Amino acid sequence: MDFYSFLIQLLNSIQYGLLLFLIASGLTLIFGIMGIITLAHGSFYMIGAYLAWSIAAKLGSLWAAIAVGIALSVAIGMVLEWLLISRLYNRDHLYQVLLTYGLILMFEETRSVIWGDDVHGVAMPGVLSASIRLTDTLSYPVYRLWMSGVCLVIAVAMYCGHTTDTRMPRSP
């Protein structure tokens, strides 16, 4: 394997790890702040993405579709928290796991019914559609670097939010 192929694989693995961090941080935040074990947080990412895909097709703007998709998935999350999850705060974590696993199954079937089982994609914004040329035959997409940067910004923001926590220290 030559250096540039190794570099592409290294960048791909870093980007994939950062995306896994982004998804896993949702689980950590929800459990750490609310005390709820949820397995369905990835389903909210999925619903937001499919809503953004549908809205992008109608509005023609990826950025507007992302904003509306996020808002709608947050609204769905708030309604489900109010209707279902809030009733499990004082119960054993097994009830929370069972409920959120059931939500995964419901979200997946709903996605299949509404959007089908085909693979869908959104046109990449022009500013992110470029590639960085590594050799005559190898290049790396700017979009992947941008996504890695977004994940790093979120990680730094979470770390800074953690280190500036102003709550009173717990007594020993």
Side-chain angles (χ1 to χ4, degrees), residues 77-96:
M78 290 173 69
V79 167
L80 287 174
E81 193 279 332
W82 176 68
L83 284 175
L84 301 172
I85 296 172
S86 64
R87 301 180 192 319
L88 300 178
Y89 285 146
N90 296 324
R91 295 210 179 174
D92 188 57
H93 290 308
L94 179 61
Y95 292 102
Q96 300 166 2

Side-chain angles (χ1 to χ4, degrees), residues 111-122:
R111 184 223 30 96
S112 183
V113 168
I114 294 173
W115 291 287
D117 293 324
D118 294 335
V119 176
H120 303 291
V122 176

Side-chain angles (χ1 to χ4, degrees), residues 89-153:
Y89 285 146
N90 296 324
R91 295 210 179 174
D92 188 57
H93 290 308
L94 179 61
Y95 292 102
Q96 300 166 2
V97 169
L98 290 173
L99 172 69
T100 57
Y101 183 72
L103 287 174
I104 291 171
L105 298 175
M106 288 176 33
F107 280 142
E108 178 59 26
E109 285 303 312
T110 302
R111 184 223 30 96
S112 183
V113 168
I114 294 173
W115 291 287
D117 293 324
D118 294 335
V119 176
H120 303 291
V122 176
M124 195 176 310
V127 70
L128 298 176
S129 63
S131 292
I132 296 173
R133 191 174 187 84
L134 299 175
T135 68
D136 290 336
T137 58
L138 293 175
S139 62
Y140 198 76
V142 170
Y143 174 76
R144 289 183 181 222
L145 293 172
W146 182 78
M147 283 303 300
S148 296
V150 168
C151 291
L152 287 171
V153 166

Side-chain angles (χ1 to χ4, degrees), residues 31-105:
F31 183 65
I33 293 172
M34 297 176 64
I36 295 289
I37 295 178
T38 177
L39 302 177
H41 68 283
S43 296
F44 288 100
Y45 284 106
M46 177 190 68
I47 293 297
Y50 274 97
L51 288 170
W53 175 75
S54 297
I55 294 165
K58 292 189 182 356
L59 297 179
S61 169
L62 176 63
W63 302 113
I66 289 172
V68 174
I70 288 172
L72 288 175
S73 61
V74 167
I76 292 168
M78 290 173 69
V79 167
L80 287 174
E81 193 279 332
W82 176 68
L83 284 175
L84 301 172
I85 296 172
S86 64
R87 301 180 192 319
L88 300 178
Y89 285 146
N90 296 324
R91 295 210 179 174
D92 188 57
H93 290 308
L94 179 61
Y95 292 102
Q96 300 166 2
V97 169
L98 290 173
L99 172 69
T100 57
Y101 183 72
L103 287 174
I104 291 171
L105 298 175

